[in-house]
Amino acid sequence: MLIVQEPLIQGVSLEIQISRVIAQASTPYQEVLIAETPAYGRALFLDGLIQSAECDEALYHEILVHPALVAHGRPRRVLIGGTGEGATLREVLRHRSVESVLTVDLDRESVDLCRQHLPRWHDGAFDDPRVECRIEDFAATIAGAADGAYDVIVSDVTDPVDAGPSVHLWTRPWYREIARVLADDGVFVLQAGEFDPVDLSMARAVRTTLEAVFPHVRFLHTFVPSFHALWGIAIASKRPLDLDPPDLEARIDRLPREQLQVYTPLRHRGACELPPYLARLLAEPAPLIAGPDEVPAYGVSQRE
């Protein structure tokens, strides 16, 4: 039986058994593996790290998408950076106010493999008439977008590994460009890495960098068993954003709640409330994630 060994934190690693390889490819950007696992069911691995698993992907994708879109209220124009397996797109489309979604990814081969072999993840979302899919650098998409073009921007890209394919999508100059194409009442939401009390270095650096551009930054968290970690999700906006509006339940009731596996009003509030000791750790000083002409630079391990 094949074993994938994955580093977690310093001094700790994880072995995941693979019972059957479904698809495997070396693309120009990464090593892609889709496989059956005894523990987590079918799973997606990129560069040897588990990215998404059948048993628990909703714990990640529903919390990445719904608190931000619900807090916005009535998002119409949405941009997703990092199409991946299509699960983020699936959740965005559950919001009836959404009129158009542009989803982009750099790696055509990876998206095609996910679309073919992970149908439960996208659940037909690619065929929705509101959706436009592009294969291009997320940076090119933003560079070509008009000021204020989007109500919500979701960034679901790999972590800022030095010399990795997404490192430029975490810097202060990049966040300035995000702010430019975000509507004045818009919301920017992004996966922000492990929220491990042993090592919050990435989350702190993301916080520091976002706060250098956006006046309002909040962090959410969700536990993902296949990641073996709490995971951080950051929400940034130009205007104050009420994550617990008085009509929260009514807003969530506009979603097809029978299709949701995780997200409820109580789960929303729980994700938004950080344990006090984690909030204190997150608030500690951290370096900026720098652009090519800035210092200091920052690099961490890679995961979606």
Side-chain angles (χ1 to χ4, degrees), residues 160-260:
V161 181
D162 288 334
S166 301
V167 66
H168 60 294
L169 304 181
W170 296 85
T171 65
R172 177 167 56 182
W174 170 249
Y175 291 152
R176 287 173 177 155
E177 277 293 282
I178 291 285
R180 178 184 66 80
V181 304
L182 194 66
D184 286 344
D185 63 347
V187 178
F188 175 43
V189 58
L190 64 154
Q191 75 89 2
E194 291 183 11
F195 217 61
D196 193 322
V198 176
D199 183 7
L200 278 168
S201 56
M202 177 179 166
R204 290 193 194 105
V206 171
R207 173 192 56 76
T208 298
T209 311
L210 284 171
E211 288 177 347
V213 176
F214 291 93
H216 305 282
V217 177
R218 293 280 300 275
F219 269 74
L220 285 65
H221 67 298
T222 184
F223 182 73
V224 185
S226 60
F227 291 178
H228 287 259
L230 283 174
W231 211 255
I233 294 166
I235 294 179
S237 59
K238 302 175 189 178
R239 296 180 179 176
L241 184 69
D242 188 355
L243 289 178
D244 190 8
D247 62 341
L248 177 66
E249 287 83 358
R251 294 188 188 194
I252 295 175
D253 281 340
R254 293 199 288 263
L255 294 170
R257 293 184 64 172
E258 73 282 355
Q259 297 176 18
L260 300 176

Side-chain angles (χ1 to χ4, degrees), residues 15-36:
E15 289 187 348
I16 302 176
Q17 291 185 344
I18 303 296
S19 55
R20 183 166 69 100
V21 173
I22 306 297
Q24 194 168 12
S26 296
T27 79
Y29 306 102
Q30 57 202 341
E31 297 293 324
V32 182
L33 172 66
I34 297 173
E36 297 286 354

Side-chain angles (χ1 to χ4, degrees), residues 48-262:
L49 301 178
I50 194 166
Q51 304 293 306
S52 188
E54 183 176 13
C55 73
D56 61 14
E57 59 85 11
L59 283 164
Y60 173 80
H61 291 107
E62 290 189 18
I63 303 304
L64 174 67
V65 170
H66 296 308
L69 272 68
V70 164
H72 181 281
R74 297 195 63 83
R76 297 182 297 110
R77 306 158 299 165
V78 180
L79 171 62
I80 300 172
T83 301
E85 66 277 62
T88 298
L89 175 62
R90 175 197 73 206
E91 295 304 320
V92 166
L93 292 172
R94 299 202 196 282
H95 291 259
R96 288 178 291 181
S97 65
V98 170
E99 298 173 0
S100 64
V101 185
L102 173 58
T103 183
V104 300
D105 202 289
L106 190 63
D107 193 342
R108 181 187 300 275
E109 190 171 358
S110 176
V111 173
D112 288 346
L113 286 171
C114 290
R115 189 168 181 176
Q116 179 180 356
H117 297 291
L118 300 176
R120 290 182 60 180
W121 275 251
H122 59 78
D123 195 24
F126 291 105
D127 300 319
D128 192 291
R130 294 172 289 175
V131 174
E132 178 187 357
C133 297
R134 292 185 194 168
I135 301 299
E136 64 184 17
D137 192 327
F138 193 16
T141 308
I142 293 294
D147 294 359
Y150 297 102
D151 300 310
V152 174
I153 299 175
V154 184
S155 180
D156 192 17
V157 300
T158 51
D159 292 353
V161 181
D162 288 334
S166 301
V167 66
H168 60 294
L169 304 181
W170 296 85
T171 65
R172 177 167 56 182
W174 170 249
Y175 291 152
R176 287 173 177 155
E177 277 293 282
I178 291 285
R180 178 184 66 80
V181 304
L182 194 66
D184 286 344
D185 63 347
V187 178
F188 175 43
V189 58
L190 64 154
Q191 75 89 2
E194 291 183 11
F195 217 61
D196 193 322
V198 176
D199 183 7
L200 278 168
S201 56
M202 177 179 166
R204 290 193 194 105
V206 171
R207 173 192 56 76
T208 298
T209 311
L210 284 171
E211 288 177 347
V213 176
F214 291 93
H216 305 282
V217 177
R218 293 280 300 275
F219 269 74
L220 285 65
H221 67 298
T222 184
F223 182 73
V224 185
S226 60
F227 291 178
H228 287 259
L230 283 174
W231 211 255
I233 294 166
I235 294 179
S237 59
K238 302 175 189 178
R239 296 180 179 176
L241 184 69
D242 188 355
L243 289 178
D244 190 8
D247 62 341
L248 177 66
E249 287 83 358
R251 294 188 188 194
I252 295 175
D253 281 340
R254 293 199 288 263
L255 294 170
R257 293 184 64 172
E258 73 282 355
Q259 297 176 18
L260 300 176
Q261 301 182 63
V262 172

